[in-house]
Amino acid sequence: MDNGVVVEQHTGKPNMKRKKMRDIHHLTPFWNMMSHLAIGLFSLACVYPFLFVVIISFTDEKALARDGYSFFPKQWSLDAYTYIFKTSDQLLRSYGVTLFITVVGTLLSLAIVSLYAYAISRSYFHFRGFFSFIAFFTMLFGGGLVPSYIVVSQVLHLKDTIWALILPMCVSAFSILIMRTFFKTMVPDAIIESGKIDGAGEFRVFFYLVLPISLPGLATIGLFSALGYWNDWFNALLYIDDAKLLPLQSLLIKIETNIQFILQNSAVSGGTERSAIARSLPAETTRMAMVVLATVPIIFAYPFFQRYFVQGLTIGAVKE
Amino acid sequence: MEGLMRWLKMVGRNKALLLMVLPGAVWFLLFCYLPMPGAIIAFKDYKFSTDGFLASIIESDWIGLKNFEYLFKTEDSWIIVRNTLLYNAVFIVLGTTLSVIVAIIISQIANKKMAKIYQTGMFLPHFLSWVIVSYFVFSFLSVDKGVLNQFLTFIGVDPVFWYSEKEYWPYILVFVNLWKGVGYGSVIYLAAIVGIDKSYFEAAMIDGASKWQQIRKITIPMITPIIVIMFILAVGGIFRADFGLFYQVPRDTGALYPVTNVIDTFVYRGLKVTGNIGMSTAAGLYQAVVGFVLVIVTNFIVRKINKEQALF
């Protein structure tokens, strides 16, 4: 993001001695360094844990058992990754589930949200007030988790289906708000009118005139939605028991809780039985490798899409 | 009759736009409005019926406010409300302060390329799920392999069983929440700073004001309205906790419940773990109603301050 604060070029001689003559456009060298240091360190602290997990995933399992997690492991190894790609059908399957819900969910969400937002952004839509209200009221009040759960599982019968991962989060009033603002400011009624004079219907105008000039807005809400689907584990926690439908994030939770379960019961259950289960669980480096694989797509994608997220955040903050 | 005819005519004239809102409207009906009447379970002794949702609700007996009575009699009800409010209060105050500070410092950095690199780094945590973050946290807090215990052993202090000692968790949760949110939170303030009319700064420079004076006398006063608005809106959501933070990061550890249980985790466990549907619904409804009132009140206050910034 260009934060555009005008900082004029330093034109004065750099070694003017008298304090009064100091170039007031810049911070003093000391404070400039302190700013870089403070923000740089914070920025590093934000990235550091990910780098750490990457390093752990490339650590030799024995070295890990001996030395604990280390930023400079004594022995490196690719075993975790070769193990995953050779043996872990479940991981690939979960990758597939996550990819599927992300793509299908985002497309569905884009379709529903943009149509809805477009309609309520038109001042000549007679029922605009009513449909705006039923969308935005949901931002203020909801029936709560339990009734939603009962509706999804017992009325719509979505439990243990892929739709339980897609439908509950496919529309958000917030995205509608962003898109409505976008359509209102970027697509004046005059354009629509001109399309209509040429004899195009509402849908034709929407698909051929409005959508092409709305790509930045669609990118913003599409990315919000894709990120939401990729990172979602809550719906799976509620609705999915079938391992075939576990998305990536939930697989990571499952592995974690299974290990805890074994650790907690280690005093109770028999030794041999326990170690048999323990062996079937992925080793520590493998688990960290899975975390890396679940994160890498985001890490590589988000710097390119950053400005759309910023845009969404700032549009969302402005009314109308 | 005439009114109905007029209405039908309107429907006819808006046919295309009505078709456009249809999928969304159906979604809102199914996923938002159908559950709302379901909240009456809070006033019933809920019994699951095989004849479906409606039958379950109709066949369950009315018990009035009994679920709420049970809820408020438990020690949990006090703990979850306290935790939700206190954590959120700390998150709002510290989060806002740090976000503003970070935004101001970034705006002062002359090297725009570096500023952008720093920002990209600070954004990262926002894009990760709480599950991933919980693994990150574990790499620091793991009892036998974690970095913190390695360090403690190194300086000769006994290692700490982080996941069973609750006194550390308020600090850990606050730290993790700030780590995840401050970078992204600073965006909105940075946008506000960038939007300040440059001529103020130019005039101040001509008068010989230092950077520090400019920050204190121009930047901060100019972004105060947006700080106030964001602050008040955050207060409107103070009764809603971030489920992922309180459930994933402490790894759902029972020993830590006294300091990690919030309304949202309590409702979830009532539904999925302990199966106390009635009480869980009651807690959820309680949260929804108080949350609703808070948003209305804070929005009213925002409206008084600046009409433009109010949500509605």
Side-chain angles (χ1 to χ4, degrees):
Chain A
M1 189 177 80
D2 179 18
N3 67 19
V5 174
V6 176
V7 180
E8 283 159 30
Q9 278 308 304
H10 195 318
T11 47
K13 284 179 199 150
N15 54 354
M16 276 197 250
K17 273 171 202 153
R18 286 195 321 188
K19 210 179 167 202
K20 252 189 185 169
M21 296 295 286
R22 206 188 69 225
D23 186 342
I24 48 164
H25 299 311
H26 280 320
L27 295 171
T28 60
F30 173 74
W31 283 109
N32 187 42
M33 201 186 73
M34 290 302 282
S35 306
H36 276 273
L37 202 67
I39 293 297
L41 277 179
F42 176 52
S43 176
L44 194 69
C46 287
V47 183
Y48 172 82
F50 174 70
L51 297 178
F52 192 41
V53 165
V54 172
I55 288 172
I56 296 171
S57 74
F58 283 108
T59 305
D60 184 73
E61 188 71 35
K62 285 197 197 82
L64 185 80
R66 197 179 54 233
D67 308 329
Y69 300 137
S70 161
F71 209 76
F72 307 101
K74 298 212 175 68
Q75 272 161 300
W76 298 84
S77 157
L78 281 170
D79 286 355
Y81 292 91
T82 46
Y83 174 82
I84 285 176
F85 287 111
K86 268 194 198 138
T87 57
S88 184
D89 290 343
Q90 180 64 52
L91 181 89
L92 292 181
R93 212 188 149 87
S94 294
Y95 234 103
V97 171
T98 295
L99 217 57
F100 181 81
I101 60 168
T102 304
V103 172
V104 175
T106 304
L107 290 177
L108 198 63
S109 162
L110 277 175
I112 300 178
V113 167
S114 60
L115 282 168
Y116 199 97
Y118 174 71
I120 62 170
S121 76
R122 294 303 96 192
S123 53
Y124 56 83
F125 181 33
H126 184 71
F127 304 96
R128 186 169 49 118
F130 173 75
F131 287 104
S132 302
F133 178 81
I134 66 164
F136 300 138
F137 183 70
T138 61
M139 290 171 98
L140 307 177
F141 188 77
L145 179 69
V146 182
S148 300
Y149 174 83
I150 293 174
V151 166
V152 171
S153 56
Q154 287 168 33
V155 180
L156 305 172
H157 301 288
L158 297 181
K159 236 183 152 197
D160 269 325
T161 68
I162 192 92
W163 298 106
L165 298 174
I166 294 176
L167 293 179
M169 54 189 289
C170 99
V171 178
S172 96
F174 184 68
S175 292
I176 292 181
L177 188 68
I178 291 180
M179 267 332 262
R180 188 198 62 162
T181 309
F182 191 88
F183 287 136
K184 254 192 177 157
T185 48
M186 305 299 284
V187 189
D189 277 347
I191 289 188
I192 318 289
E193 289 309 318
S194 74
K196 284 200 176 149
I197 290 166
D198 293 344
E202 202 73 63
F203 278 93
R204 232 185 135 74
V205 168
F206 178 72
F207 284 112
Y208 291 100
L209 281 178
V210 176
L211 279 192
I213 55 172
S214 304
L215 290 178
L218 292 174
T220 301
I221 61 157
L223 285 167
F224 274 122
S225 166
L227 189 74
Y229 278 113
W230 186 274
N231 280 339
D232 181 54
W233 43 270
F234 190 61
N235 284 311
L237 196 65
L238 288 175
Y239 304 119
I240 303 294
D241 294 321
D242 186 353
K244 281 191 199 131
L245 292 173
L246 273 188
L248 265 186
Q249 309 283 338
S250 314
L251 178 66
L252 289 171
I253 301 177
K254 269 257 147 58
I255 292 169
E256 181 191 290
T257 42
N258 285 350
I259 284 168
Q260 270 186 334
F261 179 78
I262 285 162
L263 290 179
Q264 274 163 11
N265 295 286
S266 56
V268 194
S269 61
T272 48
E273 195 185 323
R274 197 182 74 234
S275 61
I277 306 170
R279 249 181 285 126
S280 71
L281 285 166
E284 203 126 13
T285 53
T286 314
R287 272 183 279 149
M288 290 306 189
M290 289 170 132
V291 172
V292 173
L293 290 174
T295 319
V296 153
I298 294 180
I299 300 271
F300 283 106
Y302 95 89
F304 298 101
F305 300 126
Q306 198 170 317
R307 83 190 161 94
Y308 292 112
F309 285 103
V310 172
Q311 191 177 316
L313 197 68
T314 36
I315 293 180
V318 204
K319 206 179 74 168
E320 296 299 271
Chain B
M1 200 58 206
E2 200 182 304
L4 183 70
M5 287 304 286
R6 257 211 347 251
W7 189 79
L8 282 176
K9 220 173 181 176
M10 270 303 169
V11 170
R13 205 180 291 162
N14 290 276
K15 205 169 50 197
L17 290 172
L18 281 170
L19 269 177
M20 286 180 170
V21 294
L22 184 66
V26 170
W27 187 89
F28 280 117
L29 180 69
L30 290 180
F31 290 92
C32 295
Y33 291 96
L34 202 54
M36 280 183 202
I40 59 165
I41 296 170
F43 307 98
K44 291 203 161 210
D45 181 16
Y46 188 72
K47 291 207 176 63
F48 178 70
S49 157
T50 46
D51 296 337
F53 175 58
L54 264 181
S56 304
I57 289 187
I58 293 166
E59 285 166 23
S60 301
D61 296 326
W62 287 100
I63 52 167
L65 293 174
K66 279 258 168 56
N67 282 323
F68 290 90
E69 268 172 47
Y70 286 132
L71 173 66
F72 291 116
K73 258 186 209 150
T74 60
E75 203 192 342
D76 283 344
S77 73
W78 153 242
I79 290 177
I80 58 175
V81 170
R82 178 201 67 184
N83 286 349
T84 308
L85 289 177
L86 276 184
Y87 277 117
N88 276 333
V90 174
F91 294 163
I92 293 170
V93 172
L94 289 183
T96 309
T97 313
L98 287 175
S99 295
V100 169
I101 291 175
V102 166
I104 290 177
I105 298 180
I106 290 184
S107 74
Q108 295 297 326
I109 289 178
N111 185 337
K112 291 296 163 244
K113 221 173 212 158
M114 284 310 288
K116 191 163 162 89
I117 292 174
Y118 294 148
Q119 259 199 310
T120 305
M122 282 163 17
F123 269 24
L124 174 66
H126 174 81
F127 294 92
L128 304 175
S129 78
W130 282 117
V131 176
I132 302 289
V133 174
S134 87
Y135 273 88
F136 287 177
V137 173
F138 186 72
S139 71
F140 286 84
L141 300 185
S142 161
V143 173
D144 52 341
K145 301 193 180 71
V147 176
L148 278 188
N149 276 354
Q150 286 180 39
F151 175 73
L152 290 179
T153 319
F154 179 73
I155 60 168
V157 178
D158 283 341
V160 174
F161 287 82
W162 296 102
Y163 287 93
S164 46
E165 291 182 32
K166 63 177 196 286
E167 64 265 37
Y168 302 110
W169 279 86
Y171 303 102
I172 296 172
L173 290 171
V174 169
F175 182 85
V176 173
N177 184 270
L178 293 175
W179 173 81
K180 200 169 190 284
V182 165
Y184 201 64
S186 67
V187 168
I188 212 147
Y189 301 113
L190 190 57
I193 293 173
V194 171
I196 299 175
D197 190 338
K198 304 291 176 297
S199 53
Y200 289 113
F201 292 105
E202 280 154 19
M205 282 180 197
I206 290 166
D207 290 346
S210 69
K211 274 282 166 197
W212 175 236
Q213 283 170 317
Q214 291 173 34
I215 292 171
R216 260 188 14 202
K217 304 286 184 187
I218 303 173
T219 312
I220 293 179
M222 291 299 274
I223 63 171
T224 301
I226 187 94
I227 297 176
V228 171
I229 301 293
M230 296 304 287
F231 184 84
I232 293 174
L233 290 179
V235 172
I238 202 167
F239 223 55
R240 291 185 201 130
D242 190 340
F243 181 84
L245 172 65
F246 294 98
Y247 184 82
Q248 297 294 352
V249 177
R251 310 200 134 195
D252 193 22
T253 310
L256 304 176
Y257 284 173
V259 293
T260 61
N261 208 3
V262 287
I263 302 175
D264 300 75
T265 51
F266 177 83
V267 171
Y268 170 78
R269 289 192 190 107
L271 171 68
K272 291 289 277 189
V273 185
T274 56
N276 198 337
I277 305 273
M279 195 158 91
S280 176
T281 314
L285 188 61
Y286 169 51
Q287 180 184 36
V289 170
V290 176
F292 182 67
V293 172
L294 280 173
V295 175
I296 296 289
V297 170
T298 51
N299 186 70
F300 178 75
I301 299 171
V302 174
R303 240 185 128 75
K304 283 268 168 218
I305 300 173
N306 182 352
K307 229 174 166 183
E308 298 279 292
Q309 297 282 359
L311 279 174
F312 44 87

